[in-house]
Amino acid sequence: MATADRTPEQENIPAESREVEVETTVPMDSKIQRAKPAGADKLPATKLGRIWTATIFGLLVLILLIIFIAQNQEQVTLNYFAYQGQVNLGLALFFAAIGGALVVAIAGVARVIQLRSTAKKQRKANKR
């Protein structure tokens, strides 16, 4: 709505005789199509779709790991306590990553077990 600066003469004119800009509204039952929000036509996510997405992501990570191992073929000496051996650098780093993932998984499993036992105790207390 555009408004103009009022001159002193316009201020003295009664409000009923001034020009008034009126906004027109469309009734709710009109046939005009409303704009749908983005993504309103998308299908809902399913478990199978999530599995498919995770599989594709896993394959991409696997391809990247294979490339990494193939590019790091230098032999390195690994020492672990009294053991010593030669192994490819890429393979050694891969085994180290798996070891780190196992440590994180063990900690996660311990936390889930702890939360489940706490929830079980609370359910028993609520039943009493």
Side-chain angles (χ1 to χ4, degrees):
M1 230 178 352
T3 58
D5 292 334
R6 294 198 173 132
T7 60
E9 296 86 32
Q10 288 178 331
E11 290 179 4
N12 294 333
I13 300 173
E16 297 83 24
S17 62
R18 287 190 209 143
E19 284 186 37
V20 179
E21 292 184 28
V22 178
E23 289 186 27
T24 57
T25 59
V26 179
M28 292 301 290
D29 60 338
S30 70
K31 302 275 183 194
I32 297 174
Q33 290 187 358
R34 307 257 181 246
K36 292 182 181 178
D41 294 333
K42 288 185 178 180
L43 296 174
T46 62
K47 288 182 182 180
L48 186 60
R50 289 185 195 114
I51 291 171
W52 181 251
T53 303
T55 302
I56 297 297
F57 180 73
L59 285 173
L60 291 175
V61 169
L62 182 64
I63 290 169
L64 293 174
L65 280 172
I66 291 171
I67 292 169
F68 176 78
I69 292 170
Q71 288 181 342
N72 291 286
Q73 290 295 319
E74 300 87 27
Q75 292 286 320
V76 294
T77 303
L78 293 181
N79 297 311
Y80 188 73
F81 295 116
Y83 300 103
Q84 184 177 9
Q86 294 278 330
V87 69
N88 291 338
L89 175 63
L91 200 57
L93 291 173
F94 178 68
F95 287 143
I98 289 175
L102 285 174
V103 168
V104 169
I106 290 169
V109 166
R111 180 68 176 148
V112 167
I113 290 170
Q114 181 187 29
L115 289 172
R116 283 185 180 179
S117 67
T118 303
K120 190 174 183 179
K121 288 177 186 177
Q122 286 180 350
R123 278 194 304 267
K124 283 183 180 180
N126 289 341
K127 286 183 180 180
R128 293 181 187 177

